[in-house]
Amino acid sequence: MGDQLSAARDRLFDAARKTGVECELLETLKYPQETLAASIPVRMDDGALKMVKAWRCRYSDLLGPTKGGLRFHPSTNADEVQTLAFWMTVKCALMQLPYGGGKGGISVDYKSLSQSERERLTRAFAERFAHIFGPARDIPAPDVGTGPMEMAWIADTIGQVRHEHVPGLITGKPPIAGGLEGRAPATGQGAFLVLDTLAEALGVADGDKTIALQGYGSGGRHFARFAADAGWKIIAVADSGGTAFDAEGLDLDVLDKVKADGGSVVDAEGVESRKSDAILSVEADVLVPAAMGGQITSDTVGALSCKAIVEIANGPVLPEADAALRDAGIKVAPDILANAGGVFVSWLEWVVNRSGVPMSNDEVTKRLTDRITARAKAVAQKAEELDSDMRTAAYAVAAEQLDKALVARGAGSY
Ligand SMILES: NC(=O)c1ccc[n+]([C@@H]2O[C@H](COP(=O)([O-])OP(=O)(O)OC[C@H]3O[C@@H](n4cnc5c(N)ncnc54)[C@H](O)[C@@H]3O)[C@@H](O)[C@H]2O)c1
């Protein structure tokens, strides 16, 4: 078992013990249910053959078919994929979705590939894992490096393999291919709703309403828009090229244009440019990590200058930093709650695909708002009950849900 997974698991186990769930649950979730590893050949544009490593982990299907994204990134490895699949298990339980947790990934510098290399690689990945994916078994979605285009290629490839149209086997598709308009903004929208609902508990209801945002991809970009529309000031945004800063608030239209042209946020006119990791020490009410995991460690926590953290990224705070954050009085809205808008709307997409009954965008927004607001309040209430931080409370609520499923279903043959 990798270090990252075992640290993630300990966080759940500590919280579960506080809330008194059956110890059989902890035994059941000790290891991933199954992880498939493959090496995939890709033909590059210059004719060369390249092998890449890929994984798909189905961590637990206690609550239903496994659900979770696909990450195409050079640092992806088996430990990371299994940890992300574990977090999906906990997140789906917290959100009261009928899903278990899964995750997949390819270790590849996907950004550096041409469009046709990307398509060949994604389709080869889909063929290799086609026997696992299915609407009642394992349902992938986008994560870092992937988006609607990759989801459509995967649905199309598996449709060809199976000689049937099965849109419910993957979510985050473009609307024309069976997706929902509301899926693309859902993660950022959900994170904003969590901030809005928990502002008081996070200690930022009466501040200057300033935000520093790390990562301006599909999660971060939409979050920034919802927050700015509600009167928050986005004073700093970082991407892998650097940090753009403006104390008066950044112009999101300008940032969007620069990103659409393939540039970095620091290329935007009139912004003060800083190094990429400078984002962590920007003085702001709320820091929103929306890039990669492991950004806030026991070494970097001292440099933070925020009152609260809203985690759009998965695992941006290492467990070793939890105590230091508590001591510094920095409250955290944890990833399994703050970034759960995406998987919630993925569930709506799956419901629409499987039932054949359409759903309006207004209905999607209403359902997302109702569910994530209710789950955020449940976490805040549990934090009061346990006298704990919100991460512990969120894990405790999820553990109770998983425990109910285990008691109802039984642990299997023994
Ligand atoms: N997309 C979703 O629906 C979704 C759902 C739940 C969780 N998440 C999590 O949110 C995070 C971001 O996912 P995404 O889908 O927005 O990815 P993305 O690939 O669309 O965007 C990632 C962004 O992070 C930036 N970045 C990368 N390294 C950086 C660094 N060192 N410093 C600053 N910026 C950096 C990139 O430049 C890019 O702007 C991931 O942790 C992912 O697991 C995403």
Side-chain angles (χ1 to χ4, degrees), residues 71 84 91 103 111 142-146 183 187 214-220 238-242 259 276-277 279 290-293 295 312-314 339-340 342-343:
R71 181 172 288 194
L84 289 162
K91 189 189 305 180
K103 205 78 178 191
K111 270 199 208 161
D143 191 70
V144 175
T146 61
R183 174 61 184 87
T187 300
Q214 182 190 46
Y216 203 65
S218 45
D239 61 16
S240 38
K259 292 298 281 184
S276 198
D277 58 3
I279 190 74
M292 304 305 283
Q295 297 296 303
I312 291 182
N314 282 304
N339 70 27
V343 71

Side-chain angles (χ1 to χ4, degrees), residues 185-199 202 211 213 219-220 222-224 226-227 232 286 288-290 309-313 333-335 337-342 368 372 376:
T187 300
Q189 188 172 11
F192 169 67
L193 288 164
V194 168
L195 169 60
D196 198 41
T197 308
L198 298 181
L202 291 168
I211 289 176
L213 173 64
H222 290 289
F223 167 82
F226 285 103
W232 289 81
V286 186
V288 182
I309 296 174
V310 174
E311 298 181 333
I312 291 182
D335 48 7
L337 171 68
N339 70 27
L368 170 62
I372 207 148

Side-chain angles (χ1 to χ4, degrees), residues 53-318:
K53 283 163 113 178
W55 299 267
R56 181 74 189 172
C57 172
R58 300 177 65 238
Y59 197 93
S60 163
D61 67 357
L62 200 49
L63 282 165
T66 44
K67 183 90 192 77
L70 298 174
R71 181 172 288 194
F72 293 180
H73 192 271
S75 67
T76 298
N77 57 46
D79 186 25
E80 182 185 75
V81 167
Q82 291 182 327
T83 307
L84 289 162
F86 173 81
W87 283 327
M88 284 305 297
T89 306
V90 185
K91 189 189 305 180
C92 291
L94 172 64
M95 289 301 285
Q96 297 184 324
L97 292 172
Y99 285 145
K103 205 78 178 191
I106 306 183
S107 174
V108 65
D109 186 3
Y110 193 64
K111 270 199 208 161
S112 71
L113 303 184
S114 71
Q115 179 79 350
S116 54
E117 287 167 343
R118 288 179 187 190
E119 181 167 354
R120 283 196 293 277
L121 173 59
T122 304
R123 287 184 182 276
F125 173 85
E127 274 183 38
R128 184 57 63 92
F129 289 90
H131 62 294
I132 316 179
F133 298 148
R137 185 154 190 238
D138 184 33
I139 310 143
D143 191 70
V144 175
T146 61
M149 188 174 66
E150 284 76 17
M151 303 304 112
W153 287 336
I154 293 171
D156 182 65
T157 305
I158 298 180
Q160 288 175 30
V161 171
R162 300 209 184 138
H163 299 282
E164 61 177 346
H165 191 66
V166 197
L169 68 79
I170 192 161
T171 60
K173 302 177 293 294
I176 191 71
L180 291 179
E181 291 287 354
R183 174 61 184 87
T187 300
Q189 188 172 11
F192 169 67
L193 288 164
V194 168
L195 169 60
D196 198 41
T197 308
L198 298 181
E200 191 93 29
L202 291 168
V204 294
D206 304 319
D208 298 335
K209 296 203 152 197
T210 51
I211 289 176
L213 173 64
Q214 182 190 46
Y216 203 65
S218 45
R221 187 163 52 85
H222 290 289
F223 167 82
R225 205 40 91 165
F226 285 103
D229 287 351
W232 289 81
K233 216 193 281 180
I234 316 295
I235 58 168
V237 172
D239 61 16
S240 38
T243 296
F245 179 85
D246 185 340
E248 297 308 313
L250 292 157
D251 183 334
L252 300 180
D253 288 336
V254 175
L255 295 191
D256 286 345
K257 166 114 190 31
V258 170
K259 292 298 281 184
D261 293 343
S264 160
V265 289
V266 290
D267 300 329
E269 222 179 278
V271 304
E272 184 186 323
S273 169
R274 298 180 182 175
K275 283 202 308 200
S276 198
D277 58 3
I279 190 74
L280 296 178
S281 51
V282 168
E283 193 180 331
D285 288 336
V286 186
L287 172 66
V288 182
M292 304 305 283
Q295 297 296 303
I296 298 163
T297 65
S298 42
D299 289 339
T300 56
V301 92
L304 300 183
S305 197
C306 60
K307 294 181 189 153
I309 296 174
V310 174
E311 298 181 333
I312 291 182
N314 282 304
V317 174
L318 287 186

